[in-house]
Amino acid sequence: MTDGLDVRATHRYLRMSPTKVRLVLDQIRGQSAVEAIQVLKFTNKAAADPLSKLLRSAIANAEQNFGLNRDNLYVHQAFANEGPIRRWRRFGARVHFKPIRKRQAHVTLVLRDRGGPTT
């Protein structure tokens, strides 16, 4: 059996914590692309909207650039790595320094073709 063709899409510098993004990615990993879109549509998390746009972009890349059928695609890999952390400062009561860390994530989706019949 040959490995299917991999289609990769990335979203860098997503203004969200990687741990929050991973909670949503765990729900769609291993599912077919069409089912993953439906899951993201009804997921009540802030990360669901940018991940839905990323998944739709990956599907469009697979159809346009490689001629693959969207019904044969599934989410092979999905991971979120840590991006740069913006350090912010806020002064509290009695001139105390309160650091705030604004996290960013680099998200990668890899779609793979199941190798079924193309139409």
Side-chain angles (χ1 to χ4, degrees):
M1 184 173 147
T2 62
D3 286 337
L5 182 67
D6 287 350
V7 179
R8 181 181 297 257
T10 60
H11 185 323
R12 295 177 48 117
Y13 305 105
L14 176 62
R15 246 317 271 124
M16 196 170 297
S17 172
T19 54
K20 293 179 182 180
V21 175
R22 286 183 197 121
L23 289 173
V24 180
L25 286 177
D26 290 341
Q27 294 179 350
I28 64 170
R29 192 177 294 117
Q31 292 187 354
S32 72
V34 178
E35 290 175 7
I37 289 175
Q38 292 299 318
V39 168
L40 290 174
K41 185 177 179 181
F42 294 107
T43 300
N44 191 16
K45 294 279 187 185
D49 186 44
L51 291 180
S52 176
K53 290 173 77 172
L54 181 64
L55 180 60
R56 289 175 196 272
S57 173
I59 292 171
N61 288 341
E63 290 178 339
Q64 184 68 29
N65 298 339
F66 300 105
L68 300 175
N69 187 2
R70 82 170 39 209
D71 297 329
N72 295 335
L73 295 173
Y74 71 100
V75 181
H76 177 64
Q77 290 179 340
F79 53 90
N81 294 328
E82 197 167 306
I85 299 173
R86 270 185 45 212
R87 301 193 190 282
W88 206 249
R89 60 194 174 279
R90 169 176 256 162
F91 295 100
R94 298 188 302 177
V95 196
H96 282 270
F97 181 71
K98 296 183 175 183
I100 298 172
R101 296 164 30 134
K102 301 200 177 227
R103 299 179 183 269
Q104 296 177 5
H106 297 320
V107 184
T108 303
L109 282 178
V110 178
L111 300 181
R112 183 171 278 186
D113 189 20
R114 289 192 196 272
T118 59
T119 57

